[in-house]
Amino acid sequence: KVLCATGIIAGLLAFFWKDTFNPESLSGARVLLTGASAGIGEQMAYHYAKFGAEIVLTARREAVLQKVVEKCLTLGAKKIFYIPADMSSPSEPEKVVQFAVQKLGGLDYLVLNHIGVTHFQMWAGDVEYTRWLMQVNFFSYVALATAALPTLEKNKGSLVVVSSLTGKIPTPFTTSYSATKFALDGFFSSLRHELIMQNRNVSVTLCILGLIDTDTALENTRGKVHLTAFPAPEAALAIIRGGATRVQEVFYPWWLQYMCCLWVLFPNDRDQVLRSYYNYSSP
Ligand code: NDP
């Protein structure tokens, strides 16, 4: 009963809570955004453009990045550049940060969002793939953040890390992906403490997303899960608001936060809950 009441009160608070997000704070803000050619990253680029930010976009596909840049210009981006880069290459993160700092004169936001190609399927023993995915989804995030920290600190900036519910709750078909997202949570949540301990004014926002209706996610999960996919533009805005208001964690949709709490509080009921969302009969 206590839990139920707490959940209802928390839900009501979340519903009526007016956060302190001021869109004007993003006008002229200098943003480096990864994974910006498609999906949630592309939608974040459009929001930042509308808010009048100065942006550097990165992903691998140059032609697609060019199209996103063109649309951002029509939406109001103050300044916008792109740099094609493959984050499976360990030398790329530093190059990308240097490019952004040189073009924008510094950074206020580093938004880490890219992911390597993810197979939503059962573990088949491909250790090399896991190593590669760790490089793209985790080590490149660490390298990008490390290269950007001095300029972020100088500008009292923000580090925004896009993670997933599978970085809090392990689910089927996501062995390697889930491992990279748990790694992000461990690294960046620990880093947040260390920055606070050292009075270094850089906020770290970890974003925990549920299923979002991007082309890749819908294609990957088709026929395998019984879950509603939430709209990418809304997810993108939730991430941007969280970064701008310097919160430690963003949950989108918001109620995922309570799902994570229940997950910890009721370990014996976890399997039953998972089975209702996944198709256990035909993997
Ligand atoms: P998409 O697959 O739609 O986009 C991935 C982006 O990463 C693209 O811009 C892609 O561009 C880029 N990318 C892919 N490989 C590389 C690489 N090797 N080096 C550099 N960039 C690369 O992903 P989503 O928009 O669905 O996901 C965005 C974030 O949200 C991810 O961190 C994901 O984990 C998280 N998330 C998504 C959920 C969902 O349901 N969609 C659920 C939970 C979390 P290009 O191909 O041009 O390189």
Side-chain angles (χ1 to χ4, degrees):
K1 275 184 190 165
V2 171
L3 264 177
C4 211
T6 313
I8 291 168
I9 292 166
L12 287 170
L13 277 175
F15 186 76
F16 290 111
W17 182 259
K18 298 270 181 287
D19 69 27
T20 53
F21 177 57
N22 173 14
E24 281 169 21
S25 69
L26 292 173
S27 176
R30 295 161 298 175
V31 182
L32 169 56
L33 170 62
T34 73
S37 64
I40 299 164
E42 179 186 353
Q43 297 304 320
M44 278 198 269
Y46 299 148
H47 285 303
Y48 276 125
K50 281 186 214 155
F51 292 134
E54 300 181 1
I55 322 165
V56 170
L57 306 179
T58 186
R60 291 167 308 172
R61 290 169 298 162
E62 182 163 8
V64 191
L65 281 172
Q66 264 169 1
K67 286 203 174 127
V68 178
V69 162
E70 278 162 29
K71 187 162 172 193
C72 284
L73 284 169
T74 68
L75 291 171
K78 289 241 171 76
K79 271 188 198 170
I80 184 153
F81 306 91
Y82 71 86
I83 174 168
D86 185 340
M87 291 298 162
S88 66
S89 160
S91 59
E92 292 299 83
E94 207 177 328
K95 249 198 266 174
V96 168
V97 171
Q98 274 174 5
F99 174 87
V101 170
Q102 188 214 330
K103 290 292 180 193
L104 303 179
L107 282 177
D108 301 298
Y109 290 91
L110 172 61
V111 184
L112 301 173
N113 162 76
H114 63 277
I115 42 167
V117 175
T118 306
H119 311 298
F120 197 74
Q121 59 193 30
M122 286 208 180
W123 173 244
D126 191 346
V127 178
E128 214 30 65
Y129 167 73
T130 307
R131 217 186 300 279
W132 175 85
L133 200 66
M134 263 298 180
Q135 171 60 40
V136 179
N137 290 12
F138 175 65
F139 289 119
S140 75
Y141 277 47
V142 173
L144 283 155
T146 304
L149 264 177
T151 177
L152 289 175
E153 191 177 353
K154 203 166 149 201
N155 300 306
K156 301 182 174 57
S158 303
L159 189 50
V160 180
V161 177
V162 181
S163 186
S164 160
L165 188 61
T166 62
K168 294 276 188 195
I169 296 176
T171 54
F173 312 124
T174 58
T175 44
S176 306
Y177 173 77
S178 173
T180 66
K181 294 300 191 184
F182 268 82
L184 288 177
D185 196 337
F187 185 91
F188 285 99
S189 301
S190 174
L191 180 67
R192 184 191 297 117
H193 283 291
E194 293 183 6
L195 291 169
I196 294 167
M197 284 166 108
Q198 297 170 91
N199 285 322
R200 296 171 73 186
N201 197 352
V202 178
S203 61
V204 179
T205 299
L206 188 77
C207 307
I208 295 99
L209 308 182
L211 183 61
I212 310 300
D213 66 0
T214 61
D215 292 346
T216 44
L218 292 183
E219 203 174 299
N220 272 336
T221 55
R222 194 167 296 124
K224 288 183 172 159
V225 297
H226 312 295
L227 290 168
T228 306
F230 292 86
E234 252 186 44
L237 188 57
I239 296 166
I240 290 172
R241 292 171 84 106
T245 51
R246 300 171 86 83
V247 298
Q248 297 196 348
E249 290 191 324
V250 169
F251 289 84
Y252 178 85
W254 62 269
W255 45 264
L256 288 186
Q257 182 166 10
Y258 302 102
M259 205 163 145
C260 291
C261 290
L262 294 174
W263 187 258
V264 175
L265 287 170
F266 298 102
N268 297 332
D269 299 317
R270 291 172 178 179
D271 283 2
Q272 207 49 43
V273 175
L274 260 189
R275 276 166 184 264
S276 64
Y277 287 113
Y278 284 79
N279 191 352
Y280 271 67
S281 54
S282 57

